[in-house]
């Protein structure tokens, strides 16, 4: 009865308690109350960052009630109606207490709990008095328990009415210290490390990983706050997040936990490379799942989609058609974490909780004056570490820059202005694989800011990044280098300069040959971006890309890789030499096969674009093959329903070409359907 209240994610300081149904059996209600009270008493061993004495007193009083409830349950006493009513109200209050204690003891919310200590103490006072109110109607004289237990309950009720739960003096002092540090950040003042250490010790943050957990939690809360109309807490949360970000790099020299392994060895993408990203999509919507849940058949769906399916009166599993007895859903947290890792590795923005669209345009501004000042202090500090630190300090500085620049535009601006980019480029030549890895990852994140691209190019970054692409110490480094080239290729001048580097395209093709899907994907999108500069067209062909791309169409089981390969081939086919090379591989029938079987809408669109370009440049020899394919016209006509989509327009053009060819052939005209005859071999 109590477990399901924790099933779905909730915003902190929200208490979605569920009132027991009127027909609930007294024994069931009592058992659930005992379960809730036991859960509350279990928080006695938890760490509370603030309101330490207040929470202990609350838990103590609930512990007295637990003895009372257990005695009633053990003795299977009959309860009068007024007692059931009292216990029903108590059940709602205990649910809320569990939620509040869960928030107060949450490992990532320690700083927020300190800064919200007054709000927490108010909640504690309200809930303990609600407990007393629920017990007011309890007819103790009609319940056959020992006099000692009755006296304890009566004493607890009196204490609950009198308890004040005021803000604790130590909490007030610590929160004032934080506010003073934030005021200093506004003026560009570097805080005293002893002052910061004292605050962190008070709330129980003693490691880099604990500090990072706070940053992640505050970032999530900040994203949720941005989705609110009022946005009242944006400045406050931005300041706290900046405070913890500063603490993370300024106080802790050792990066511990899973992040420490990433710092020392670099990210391992082996697990993700073994997974099919199509399994991350909801079978109903075909979109990446943000809140995956599993139903009793064992299949997983997006929570909102499957609940809508069940709500529409469909008590069956959409994937198997099997009838389900229970429509309960269970959160699939393991899959959610894998999806988050996949999105992070492939640059796909996705909310951690599935409650918000992580639109980073909100990060153009710092969010508060304190956050702005803190970031500028951090950027200058990190630039200094890169310039004059030890090898270990430079590596950690690169890692911190990598984190700060990942999803924040203002941070990228500050880091670029502080002069970190030339020093990161210098770090690319490091013989330490971890330093090289963190440097290229930081440059990748910074390259998403327009001015950073200019700084990289002006400091010889294009050649250095291509060098890492060719001879990076680890495959992950080469993958990140390819992704960085993709962002740099968004500037026309740099597309030209990258293309003129002789090793660029051969190195990208070597990356496609590797066993990692991430490497293939990054190389393909980089080539696609570079092809928008006309002179790079012949360079890609000369490097032998086409046979490799065609082979990828048959060898890869991943739809995204097939789609990316088709996109590059479609671009190459827009010119005659590209068409000749593609047709020379015998790929025409393979492209038709993919068009008729692909579940990917972008893949179908690129197939149609590719076929249209082959027809235009290949002439009637190509068209004559297409008109013999019995399923082609059906696939093309199915795209016409998409109104003004690009796929619909391309399909309409290709249908027109095929119809004109058939009409000319039927009329006996020997004039070719195209203004210029093309002589190509079609396999």
């Amino acid at each position: 009865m109590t477990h399901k209240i924790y099933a779905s994610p909730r915003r902190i300081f929200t208490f979605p308690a569920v009132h027991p149904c009127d027909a609930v059996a007294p024994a069931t209600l009592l058992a659930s109350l005992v379960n809730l009270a036991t859960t509350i008493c279990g928080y006695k061993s938890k760490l509370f960052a603030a309101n330490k004495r207040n929470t202990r007193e609350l838990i103590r009083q609930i512990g007295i009630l637990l003895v009372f409830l257990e005695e009633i349950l053990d003795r299977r006493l009959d309860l009068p109606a007024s007692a059931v009513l009292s216990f029903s109200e108590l059940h709602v209050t205990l649910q809320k207490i569990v939620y509040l204690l869960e928030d107060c003891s949450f490992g990532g919310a320690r700083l927020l709990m300190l800064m919200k200590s007054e709000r927490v103490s108010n909640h504690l006072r309200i809930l303990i008095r609600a407990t007393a109110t629920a017990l007011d109607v309890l007819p103790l004289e009609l319940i056959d328990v020992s006099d000692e237990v009755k006296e304890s309950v009566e004493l607890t009720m009196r204490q609950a009415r009198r308890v004040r739960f005021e803000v604790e003096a130590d909490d007030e002092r610590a929160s004032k210290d934080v506010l003073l540090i934030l005021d200093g950040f506004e003026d560009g003042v570097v805080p005293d490390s002893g002052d910061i250490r004292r605050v962190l010790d008070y709330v129980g943050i003693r490691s880099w990983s604990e500090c990072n957990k706070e940053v992640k939690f505050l970032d999530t809360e900040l994203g949720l706050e941005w989705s609110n109309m009022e946005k009242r807490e944006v400045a406050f949360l931005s300041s706290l997040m900046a405070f913890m970000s500063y603490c993370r790099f300024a106080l802790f020299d050792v990066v511990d936990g899973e992040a420490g392994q990433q710092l020392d060895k670099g990210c391992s993408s082996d697990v993700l490379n073994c997974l099919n990203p199509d399994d991350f999509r909801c079978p109903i919507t075909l979109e990446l799942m943000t809140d995956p849940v599993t139903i009793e058949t064992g299949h997983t769906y997006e929570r909102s989609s499957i609940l809508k399916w069940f709500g529409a009166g469909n008590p069956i599993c959409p994937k198997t058609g099997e009838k389900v007895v229970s429509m309960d859903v269970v959160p699939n947290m393991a899959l959610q974490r894998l999806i988050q890792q996949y999105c992070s590795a492939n640059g796909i923005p996705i909310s951690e909780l599935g409650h918000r669209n992580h639109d980073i345009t909100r990060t153009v501004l710092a969010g508060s004056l304190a956050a702005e000042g803190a970031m500028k202090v951090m950027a200058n500090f990190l630039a200094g570490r890169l310039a004059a630190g030890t090898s270990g300090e430079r590596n950690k500085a690169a890692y911190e820059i990598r984190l700060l620049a990942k999803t924040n535009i203002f941070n990228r601006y500050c880091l670029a202005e502080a002069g970190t980019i030339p020093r990161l480029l210098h770090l690319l030549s490091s013989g330490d694989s971890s330093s090289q890895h963190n440097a290229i990852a930081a440059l990748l994140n910074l390259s998403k800011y327009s001015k950073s691209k200019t700084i990289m190019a002006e400091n010889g970054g294009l050649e250095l990044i291509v060098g890492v692409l060719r001879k990076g110490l680890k495959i992950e480094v080469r993958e990140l280098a390819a992704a960085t080239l993709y962002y740099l290729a968004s500037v026309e001048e740099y597309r030209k300069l990258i293309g003129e580097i002789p090793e660029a395209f051969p190195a990208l093709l070597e990356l496609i040959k590797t066993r990692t899907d991430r490497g293939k994907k990054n190389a393909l999108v980089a080539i696609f971006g570079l092809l928008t500069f006309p002179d790079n067209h012949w360079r890609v062909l000369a490097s032998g890309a086409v046979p490799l791309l065609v082979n990828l169409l048959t060898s890869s089981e991943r739809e995204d890789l097939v789609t990316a390969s088709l996109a590059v081939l479609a671009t190459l086919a827009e010119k005659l030499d590209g068409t000749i090379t593609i047709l020379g591989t015998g790929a025409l029938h393979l492209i038709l096969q993919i068009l008729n079987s692909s579940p990917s809408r972008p893949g179908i669109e690129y197939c149609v674009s590719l076929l249209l370009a082959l027809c235009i440049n290949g002439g009637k020899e190509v068209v004559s093959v297409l008109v013999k394919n019995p399923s082609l016209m059906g696939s093309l006509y199915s795209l016409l329903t998409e109104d003004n989509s690009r796929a619909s327009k391309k399909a309409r053009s290709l249908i027109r070409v095929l119809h004109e060819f058939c009409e000319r052939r039927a009329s006996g005209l020997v004039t070719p359907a195209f203004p210029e005859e093309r002589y190509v071999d079609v396999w």
Side-chain angles (χ1 to χ4, degrees):
M1 185 173 181
T2 60
H3 297 295
K4 289 185 184 178
I5 64 175
Y6 315 116
S8 57
R10 62 179 180 87
R11 185 83 188 266
I12 204 162
F13 293 136
T14 58
F15 314 124
V18 179
H19 201 286
C21 64
D22 294 337
V24 64
T28 303
L29 179 60
L30 269 171
S32 187
L33 281 169
V34 168
N35 188 12
L36 281 168
T38 302
T39 300
I40 292 169
C41 291
Y43 279 94
K44 191 188 313 182
S45 60
K46 301 283 188 179
L47 171 65
F48 291 92
N51 279 283
K52 298 176 176 69
R53 288 194 300 273
N54 292 338
T55 51
R56 280 200 299 269
E57 175 59 20
L58 173 71
I59 293 170
R60 185 191 69 80
Q61 294 192 23
I62 299 302
I64 294 172
L65 290 180
L66 176 58
V67 174
F68 170 59
L69 295 169
E70 286 178 331
E71 185 167 338
I72 298 174
L73 183 63
D74 291 342
R75 296 178 62 183
R76 300 181 181 181
L77 300 176
D78 292 331
L79 295 176
S82 57
V84 174
L85 175 62
S86 173
F87 287 154
S88 293
E89 294 302 320
L90 180 62
H91 191 280
V92 173
T93 301
L94 293 189
Q95 288 181 62
K96 293 179 180 180
I97 291 174
V98 171
Y99 281 128
L100 181 59
L101 293 177
E102 185 181 81
D103 292 343
C104 291
S105 61
F106 180 63
R110 293 174 185 173
L111 180 65
L112 185 60
M113 289 301 109
L114 172 66
M115 304 308 291
K116 294 284 188 180
S117 56
E118 183 176 0
R119 181 175 178 180
V120 172
S121 63
N122 288 336
H123 279 305
L124 289 168
R125 183 170 57 254
I126 290 168
L127 290 173
I128 196 61
R129 289 182 179 171
T131 301
T133 301
L135 295 174
D136 276 343
V137 296
L138 182 66
L140 273 175
E141 68 281 359
L142 300 180
I143 300 177
D144 186 19
V145 294
S146 66
D147 291 339
E148 182 183 351
V149 171
K150 285 183 181 180
E151 289 172 3
S152 297
V153 172
E154 289 170 343
L155 177 61
T156 299
M157 291 168 62
R158 290 195 295 271
Q159 291 175 339
R161 294 189 191 96
R162 292 197 307 264
V163 72
R164 301 182 67 178
F165 282 160
E166 294 179 341
V167 177
E168 298 175 18
D170 290 342
D171 292 351
E172 195 168 8
R173 279 193 294 270
S175 60
K176 284 182 178 178
D177 288 343
V178 174
L179 293 175
L180 286 173
I181 293 169
L182 294 177
D183 288 341
F185 278 141
E186 290 186 16
D187 299 326
V189 176
V190 178
D192 182 84
S193 60
D195 294 339
I196 297 181
R197 181 81 65 181
R198 187 166 57 251
V199 171
L200 296 194
D201 286 344
Y202 181 76
V203 296
I205 297 173
R206 297 183 175 86
S207 67
W208 188 97
S209 60
E210 290 176 338
C211 208
N212 190 49
K213 193 173 183 181
E214 297 280 319
V215 173
K216 288 185 174 183
F217 169 76
L218 289 166
D219 185 39
T220 298
E221 286 294 302
L222 188 57
L224 291 167
E225 189 62 28
W226 270 103
S227 65
N228 288 342
M229 291 290 288
E230 300 86 0
K231 299 178 175 56
R232 287 174 296 186
E233 297 267 273
V234 165
F236 172 70
L237 291 170
S238 297
S239 298
L240 295 188
M241 184 175 168
F243 175 86
M244 291 310 306
S245 296
Y246 181 86
C247 295
R248 184 179 64 190
F249 88 85
L251 292 191
F252 301 106
D253 295 329
V254 177
V255 180
D256 60 312
E258 184 179 337
Q261 297 175 6
Q262 181 174 321
L263 174 66
D264 294 335
K265 303 177 183 177
C267 289
S268 174
S269 54
D270 290 344
V271 174
L272 291 177
N273 286 329
C274 296
L275 298 173
N276 186 346
D278 291 337
D279 293 334
F280 299 158
R281 299 183 183 276
C282 173
I284 297 174
T285 65
L286 301 182
E287 298 293 332
L288 283 174
M289 292 182 283
T290 56
D291 187 11
V293 294
T294 302
I295 64 174
E296 69 174 30
T297 61
H299 292 284
T300 300
Y301 302 88
E302 177 68 24
R303 179 187 295 275
S304 59
S305 301
I306 192 63
L307 292 181
K308 186 176 180 181
W309 171 269
F310 287 152
N314 302 306
I316 59 173
C317 174
K319 197 165 186 178
T320 65
E322 182 181 346
K323 189 171 182 179
V324 295
V325 177
S326 170
M327 296 186 191
D328 290 343
V329 297
V330 178
N332 193 330
M333 305 304 291
L335 180 60
Q336 186 180 49
R337 285 192 292 271
L338 281 174
I339 293 172
Q340 290 165 7
Q341 291 174 29
Y342 169 77
C343 291
S344 176
N346 291 277
I348 303 171
I350 188 169
S351 160
E352 286 191 57
L353 295 178
H355 282 283
R356 63 188 170 107
N357 178 18
H358 200 132
D359 179 10
I360 70 165
T361 56
R362 63 177 172 82
T363 66
V364 171
L365 300 176
S368 71
L369 290 175
E372 179 180 340
M375 187 57 229
K376 289 178 179 178
V377 169
M378 282 188 276
N380 290 326
F381 187 97
L382 289 166
R385 279 285 176 88
L386 286 174
T390 64
S391 59
E393 288 173 339
R394 288 197 298 270
N395 184 23
K396 183 173 182 292
Y399 183 62
E400 294 286 354
I401 293 170
R402 170 185 180 179
L403 296 180
L404 289 167
K406 188 172 184 179
T407 56
N408 192 291
I409 298 171
F410 180 77
N411 290 359
R412 293 169 189 164
Y413 159 77
C414 291
L415 291 163
E417 292 296 321
T420 61
I421 291 175
R423 296 180 175 105
L424 287 169
L425 289 171
H426 178 73
L427 202 56
L428 291 179
S429 58
S430 170
D432 175 58
S433 62
S434 176
S435 296
Q436 188 183 64
H437 181 214
N438 287 313
I440 189 63
L443 289 166
L444 167 61
N445 292 336
L446 289 168
S447 70
K448 299 167 188 177
Y449 171 58
S450 57
K451 189 173 180 180
S452 297
K453 298 180 179 71
T454 304
I455 298 173
M456 289 182 198
E458 291 176 349
N459 286 272
L462 302 182
E463 292 81 2
L464 287 170
I465 292 167
V466 170
V468 171
L469 174 67
R470 290 181 60 231
K471 297 183 178 180
L473 297 175
K474 303 184 78 171
I475 184 63
E476 291 89 353
V477 170
R478 295 167 58 198
E479 293 168 353
L480 292 169
T484 308
L485 289 180
Y486 166 74
Y487 284 102
L488 291 168
S490 64
V491 179
E492 182 176 2
E493 179 186 356
Y494 304 153
R495 291 196 289 270
K496 175 179 180 294
L497 293 175
I498 294 169
E500 290 174 351
I501 300 173
E503 301 88 355
F505 287 114
L508 287 169
L509 294 182
E510 283 300 314
L511 192 56
I512 294 176
K513 295 176 184 177
T514 63
R515 63 183 178 85
T516 70
D517 288 337
R518 183 183 179 188
K520 291 180 172 67
K521 180 67 176 290
N522 289 358
L524 287 168
V525 297
I527 292 171
F528 184 73
L530 291 166
L531 276 173
T532 55
F533 180 68
D535 280 358
N536 285 336
H537 184 98
W538 69 265
R539 294 187 176 103
V540 174
L541 291 175
S543 64
V546 170
L548 196 59
L549 296 172
V550 172
N551 179 64
L552 201 57
L553 297 180
T554 58
S555 62
S556 178
E557 296 180 356
R558 285 183 49 164
E559 285 294 333
D560 58 336
L561 293 180
V562 171
T563 298
S565 301
L566 289 168
V568 175
L569 289 170
T571 305
L572 292 172
E574 291 174 359
K575 293 186 178 181
L576 178 59
D577 52 353
T579 290
I580 293 173
T581 306
I582 292 169
L583 292 174
T585 64
L588 187 57
H589 291 289
L590 175 60
I591 298 165
L592 287 169
Q593 181 182 342
I594 294 172
L595 173 64
N596 294 328
S597 61
S598 176
S600 165
R601 302 305 291 179
I604 291 172
E605 178 183 325
Y606 284 121
C607 271
V608 174
S609 298
L610 177 52
L611 290 173
L612 180 61
L614 293 176
C615 286
I616 292 172
N617 289 316
K620 63 182 180 181
E621 283 79 8
V622 176
V623 181
S624 63
V625 173
L626 298 189
V627 296
K628 295 176 184 176
N629 189 284
S631 57
L632 174 60
M633 294 304 285
S635 298
L636 295 177
Y637 275 114
S638 68
L639 296 174
L640 298 183
T641 59
E642 298 183 4
D643 298 329
N644 294 320
S645 73
R646 182 177 176 182
S648 175
K649 293 176 181 178
K650 294 281 187 179
R652 192 172 288 109
S653 298
L654 184 53
I655 289 171
R656 188 181 304 115
V657 168
L658 298 177
H659 277 318
E660 287 178 359
F661 177 84
C662 292
E663 289 171 359
R664 289 174 180 273
R665 187 173 61 178
S667 63
L669 294 176
V670 295
T671 306
F674 302 92
E676 183 178 335
E677 188 70 74
R678 309 287 194 191
Y679 293 97
V680 296
D681 293 324
V682 180
W683 295 11

